[in-house]
Amino acid sequence: MTLDLSISRRGALGLAGGAAATLAMPGIVRAAGVDLVVHYSMPAIFKDAQEAIAAAFNARQSAIRVSYVNPTPTYEDGAQLILRQAATGQLPDVSFQGLNRLRLFAERGIALDLRGLLKDEGDPARLGYSAPLLGLGFHGGSQAGLAFATSNPISYYNADLLKRVGADPEAFPKTWDDAIALSAKIAGLGDGINGMFFRWPGDDWMFSALLYGYGGRMLTTDEKAVAFNGPEGLAALKLLDRMVKEGRMPNLAASASSTQDLQAFAAGKLGMMFRTTAQVRAISQSVGSNFTLRTTVMPVIDPVKGRLPTGGAGAMITAKDPNRQRAAWEFVKFATSAEGTSLMVKNTGYVPTNQIAIDNPEYLGDFYKQNPLFVAATKQVPLMIPWYAFPGQNSVRVTQVMVDQLARIAEQKATPEAVLADMATEVTKLIPTP
């Protein structure tokens, strides 16, 4: 499998030799006798993976012991927690944050710049850290974190329901027009069955999947103005609107952490879900033998310009004490190693983030052969571009504004045109002014 995230990050590309740009690190103290405190979000997805990684790390050495604080339900909750703890001096040693939030923590000086630690290791490629992978955590001249898990959105579907409406489970719709038409047919079965759910709540990630699918972008290249308010953004919102109107998509999103769609799908009451590949393992377990579960790539929007956002989490070090920083580095290095990324993949559904594990079939080759549900996301790797990280101090608020606006379409309270205009106005107020 070849990983190409199409990232141009001059700082990341120059890590091995950029001594002049590397922050001077305090004398490295040998990490020993440290009880490391680690935070992560979304236990429904990451609990098994994190526990497997911590157990493997703790088993191979005794100088550093890893323990987790209570995980937060979502990436946004996790970001807010770390911002509060930074203000009160109660930070953990390591925090796994959404990739789109690493910029925020770099700009606020909360995330340790890892360039010095990476330089001490020599060539980053020796550890499996390719330039594109490093680029996912490189912001404003700082290596704020290392990619731990990457994802793209995929299609989950109930093959039995497709058969009931005369559709071929081996020929899942390749376009949104066909997917929406299929959804309406499935909803026509009645008995509380719905055709589809596009996982729009929580953050801006799934909206960006539609926006990028049309070739759009969030802000202008100079980041001084919104860019999603053009024809690509309007087309994305109109597509969401069609899912509701024509596809009869229900609003299964009482909150960002709502699991109504997952519950309906596992019970055989939902034909299709479009959401992160990260939950392949959990969804497969919840479905069990209720029906035949299949996964495949997302329906294509623009076959030439279309792209998909790289979701997932990055590991950042928030410890301030040099000894704890060194201990934290040893854990982060293991969690993002070929062995760590393999444990992460097998316990979630995410795409691997270590080039050695990607290139060497000894790590995941047999796993993908034996677990075809996990393959869909790997086929979309060439389409993956970074999950946009909004600049400035209001990036978390920007995301919430966008989610609140999308809810107006899901609830059929406003037209796509009105939502786009209001979203642009509100986001413009929150991004840094020139």
Side-chain angles (χ1 to χ4, degrees):
M1 183 177 13
T2 300
L3 186 64
D4 178 7
L5 299 183
S6 303
I7 296 170
S8 175
R9 299 284 196 185
R10 289 191 297 272
L13 291 171
L15 267 169
T22 304
L23 292 179
M25 293 292 295
I28 297 298
V29 181
R30 182 175 177 80
V34 175
D35 291 321
L36 208 62
V37 180
V38 179
H39 159 263
Y40 70 94
S41 294
M42 300 202 298
I45 295 176
F46 282 119
K47 183 175 183 291
D48 290 345
Q50 288 284 2
E51 290 182 352
I53 289 169
F57 179 75
N58 288 339
R60 64 179 49 213
Q61 51 76 48
S62 59
I64 306 165
R65 308 303 294 171
V66 170
S67 61
Y68 294 109
V69 295
N70 288 335
T72 41
T74 68
Y75 284 144
E76 299 309 304
D77 293 327
Q80 294 285 8
L81 173 69
I82 297 303
L83 290 173
R84 290 195 301 270
Q85 291 184 333
T88 60
Q90 297 176 313
L91 286 167
D93 299 303
V94 174
S95 180
F96 290 82
Q97 289 287 333
L99 289 170
N100 69 325
R101 291 292 173 242
L102 293 180
R103 177 176 184 171
L104 170 67
F105 294 112
E107 291 176 346
R108 294 200 176 194
I110 295 172
L112 177 70
D113 187 345
L114 302 181
R115 287 179 296 168
L117 291 166
L118 280 164
K119 185 173 182 289
D120 289 342
E121 298 287 346
D123 182 5
R126 182 180 62 83
L127 299 176
Y129 305 142
S130 65
L133 289 170
L134 287 170
L136 291 174
F138 192 85
H139 298 283
S142 172
Q143 190 68 46
L146 296 178
F148 169 68
T150 60
S151 65
N152 54 63
I154 64 171
S155 306
Y156 298 82
Y157 62 100
N158 181 327
D160 298 356
L161 286 180
L162 265 65
K163 289 180 181 179
R164 285 184 60 184
V165 296
D168 181 2
E170 304 301 325
F172 189 79
K174 297 185 182 303
T175 69
W176 282 109
D177 286 346
D178 291 343
I180 290 171
L182 177 59
S183 175
K185 288 182 180 179
I186 295 173
L189 292 172
D191 192 29
I193 295 173
N194 289 296
M196 68 182 294
F197 187 70
F198 185 86
R199 182 68 188 180
W200 60 268
D203 50 45
D204 56 71
W205 191 62
M206 288 298 284
F207 168 67
S208 71
L210 301 181
L211 178 68
Y212 296 172
Y214 283 104
R217 56 183 299 126
M218 288 293 191
L219 298 188
T220 55
T221 53
D222 61 7
E223 298 191 317
K224 293 181 179 179
V226 298
F228 60 75
N229 60 338
E232 299 88 357
L234 181 58
L237 293 181
K238 283 184 173 180
L239 181 52
L240 183 63
D241 190 55
R242 287 184 59 205
M243 292 177 190
V244 179
K245 285 189 172 82
E246 300 172 31
R248 298 169 61 180
M249 183 175 80
N251 184 17
L252 300 175
S255 68
S257 58
S258 171
T259 59
Q260 291 182 57
D261 55 331
L262 292 171
Q263 294 170 13
F265 188 75
K269 297 294 186 179
L270 183 61
M272 302 173 282
M273 291 193 304
F274 304 94
R275 59 188 301 133
T276 175
T277 184
Q279 291 175 287
V280 169
R281 172 69 69 191
I283 290 172
S284 176
Q285 291 174 341
S286 65
V287 168
S289 59
N290 292 346
F291 56 84
T292 302
L293 169 65
R294 298 283 179 85
T295 64
T296 190
V297 298
M298 284 271 281
V300 174
I301 294 178
D302 187 316
V304 177
K305 296 187 298 182
R307 296 293 183 268
L308 290 172
T310 303
M316 68 178 190
I317 295 176
T318 49
K320 303 303 180 185
D321 174 74
N323 194 53
R324 300 190 73 82
Q325 288 176 349
R326 187 64 193 181
W329 173 242
E330 293 303 317
F331 175 65
V332 167
K333 195 166 57 171
F334 178 77
T336 57
S337 68
E339 181 179 349
T341 207
S342 297
L343 289 170
M344 179 277 299
V345 169
K346 293 174 181 178
N347 283 283
T348 58
Y350 277 104
V351 177
T353 57
N354 185 285
Q355 199 67 43
I356 296 171
I358 291 167
D359 294 339
N360 191 334
E362 118 183 33
Y363 287 99
L364 291 165
D366 288 342
F367 173 77
Y368 283 119
K369 289 178 183 177
Q370 296 166 11
N371 296 273
L373 292 176
F374 288 73
V375 174
T378 69
K379 294 180 179 179
Q380 298 181 143
V381 164
L383 300 178
M384 291 168 67
I385 61 174
W387 184 2
Y388 187 70
F390 283 92
Q393 304 298 302
N394 295 316
S395 59
V396 176
R397 290 179 62 194
V398 167
T399 295
Q400 190 57 52
V401 163
M402 299 184 86
V403 172
D404 290 345
Q405 291 295 332
L406 294 175
R408 296 170 67 198
I409 292 180
E411 296 165 1
Q412 292 291 281
K413 292 182 176 179
T415 65
E417 290 82 1
V419 166
L420 187 65
D422 291 345
M423 187 187 294
T425 298
E426 292 302 312
V427 172
T428 296
K429 294 176 184 177
L430 295 172
I431 60 176
T433 54

